[in-house]
PDB file of all heavy atoms in Angstrom:
ATOM      1  N   ALA Z  24     -15.733  -1.353  -8.307  1.00  0.00           N
ATOM      2  CA  ALA Z  24     -14.792  -0.258  -8.537  1.00  0.00           C
ATOM      3  C   ALA Z  24     -14.804   0.670  -7.325  1.00  0.00           C
ATOM      4  O   ALA Z  24     -15.869   1.086  -6.862  1.00  0.00           O
ATOM      5  CB  ALA Z  24     -15.172   0.515  -9.791  1.00  0.00           C
ATOM      6  N   PHE Z  25     -13.623   0.988  -6.822  1.00  0.00           N
ATOM      7  CA  PHE Z  25     -13.503   1.812  -5.618  1.00  0.00           C
ATOM      8  C   PHE Z  25     -14.259   3.128  -5.735  1.00  0.00           C
ATOM      9  O   PHE Z  25     -14.960   3.534  -4.817  1.00  0.00           O
ATOM     10  CB  PHE Z  25     -12.026   2.077  -5.313  1.00  0.00           C
ATOM     11  CG  PHE Z  25     -11.822   3.108  -4.244  1.00  0.00           C
ATOM     12  CD1 PHE Z  25     -12.146   2.824  -2.928  1.00  0.00           C
ATOM     13  CD2 PHE Z  25     -11.345   4.365  -4.550  1.00  0.00           C
ATOM     14  CE1 PHE Z  25     -11.983   3.771  -1.935  1.00  0.00           C
ATOM     15  CE2 PHE Z  25     -11.178   5.320  -3.577  1.00  0.00           C
ATOM     16  CZ  PHE Z  25     -11.494   5.020  -2.260  1.00  0.00           C
ATOM     17  N   ALA Z  26     -14.145   3.810  -6.863  1.00  0.00           N
ATOM     18  CA  ALA Z  26     -14.735   5.144  -7.028  1.00  0.00           C
ATOM     19  C   ALA Z  26     -16.255   5.143  -6.923  1.00  0.00           C
ATOM     20  O   ALA Z  26     -16.857   6.181  -6.657  1.00  0.00           O
ATOM     21  CB  ALA Z  26     -14.307   5.755  -8.358  1.00  0.00           C
ATOM     22  N   GLU Z  27     -16.889   3.987  -7.081  1.00  0.00           N
ATOM     23  CA  GLU Z  27     -18.346   3.934  -7.013  1.00  0.00           C
ATOM     24  C   GLU Z  27     -18.870   4.126  -5.594  1.00  0.00           C
ATOM     25  O   GLU Z  27     -20.005   4.546  -5.421  1.00  0.00           O
ATOM     26  CB  GLU Z  27     -18.845   2.602  -7.569  1.00  0.00           C
ATOM     27  CG  GLU Z  27     -18.627   2.459  -9.065  1.00  0.00           C
ATOM     28  CD  GLU Z  27     -19.063   1.102  -9.583  1.00  0.00           C
ATOM     29  OE1 GLU Z  27     -20.060   0.567  -9.067  1.00  0.00           O
ATOM     30  OE2 GLU Z  27     -18.394   0.572 -10.475  1.00  0.00           O
ATOM     31  N   SER Z  28     -18.060   3.847  -4.579  1.00  0.00           N
ATOM     32  CA  SER Z  28     -18.518   4.003  -3.195  1.00  0.00           C
ATOM     33  C   SER Z  28     -18.505   5.450  -2.733  1.00  0.00           C
ATOM     34  O   SER Z  28     -19.541   5.990  -2.380  1.00  0.00           O
ATOM     35  CB  SER Z  28     -17.696   3.136  -2.254  1.00  0.00           C
ATOM     36  OG  SER Z  28     -18.037   1.790  -2.435  1.00  0.00           O
ATOM     37  N   PRO Z  29     -17.342   6.088  -2.689  1.00  0.00           N
ATOM     38  CA  PRO Z  29     -17.335   7.464  -2.185  1.00  0.00           C
ATOM     39  C   PRO Z  29     -17.696   8.496  -3.238  1.00  0.00           C
ATOM     40  O   PRO Z  29     -17.872   9.658  -2.919  1.00  0.00           O
ATOM     41  CB  PRO Z  29     -15.885   7.657  -1.744  1.00  0.00           C
ATOM     42  CG  PRO Z  29     -15.108   6.809  -2.687  1.00  0.00           C
ATOM     43  CD  PRO Z  29     -15.991   5.611  -2.967  1.00  0.00           C
ATOM     44  N   GLY Z  30     -17.749   8.095  -4.495  1.00  0.00           N
ATOM     45  CA  GLY Z  30     -17.961   9.042  -5.583  1.00  0.00           C
ATOM     46  C   GLY Z  30     -16.612   9.400  -6.205  1.00  0.00           C
ATOM     47  O   GLY Z  30     -15.568   9.304  -5.566  1.00  0.00           O
ATOM     48  N   GLU Z  31     -16.647   9.808  -7.438  1.00  0.00           N
ATOM     49  CA  GLU Z  31     -15.415  10.058  -8.195  1.00  0.00           C
ATOM     50  C   GLU Z  31     -14.538  11.138  -7.563  1.00  0.00           C
ATOM     51  O   GLU Z  31     -13.331  10.985  -7.448  1.00  0.00           O
ATOM     52  CB  GLU Z  31     -15.767  10.442  -9.635  1.00  0.00           C
ATOM     53  CG  GLU Z  31     -14.580  10.467 -10.568  1.00  0.00           C
ATOM     54  CD  GLU Z  31     -13.932   9.099 -10.764  1.00  0.00           C
ATOM     55  OE1 GLU Z  31     -14.647   8.092 -10.814  1.00  0.00           O
ATOM     56  OE2 GLU Z  31     -12.693   9.056 -10.872  1.00  0.00           O
ATOM     57  N   GLN Z  32     -15.153  12.233  -7.115  1.00  0.00           N
ATOM     58  CA  GLN Z  32     -14.376  13.338  -6.555  1.00  0.00           C
ATOM     59  C   GLN Z  32     -13.632  12.902  -5.285  1.00  0.00           C
ATOM     60  O   GLN Z  32     -12.442  13.179  -5.124  1.00  0.00           O
ATOM     61  CB  GLN Z  32     -15.282  14.522  -6.259  1.00  0.00           C
ATOM     62  CG  GLN Z  32     -14.522  15.751  -5.815  1.00  0.00           C
ATOM     63  CD  GLN Z  32     -15.435  16.954  -5.641  1.00  0.00           C
ATOM     64  OE1 GLN Z  32     -16.640  16.874  -5.812  1.00  0.00           O
ATOM     65  NE2 GLN Z  32     -14.856  18.078  -5.297  1.00  0.00           N
ATOM     66  N   ALA Z  33     -14.319  12.224  -4.384  1.00  0.00           N
ATOM     67  CA  ALA Z  33     -13.672  11.765  -3.147  1.00  0.00           C
ATOM     68  C   ALA Z  33     -12.618  10.705  -3.449  1.00  0.00           C
ATOM     69  O   ALA Z  33     -11.549  10.685  -2.822  1.00  0.00           O
ATOM     70  CB  ALA Z  33     -14.715  11.219  -2.184  1.00  0.00           C
TER      71      ALA Z  33
END
Side-chain angles (χ1 to χ4, degrees):
F25 170 70
E27 292 177 36
S28 288
E31 191 64 37
Q32 186 175 2

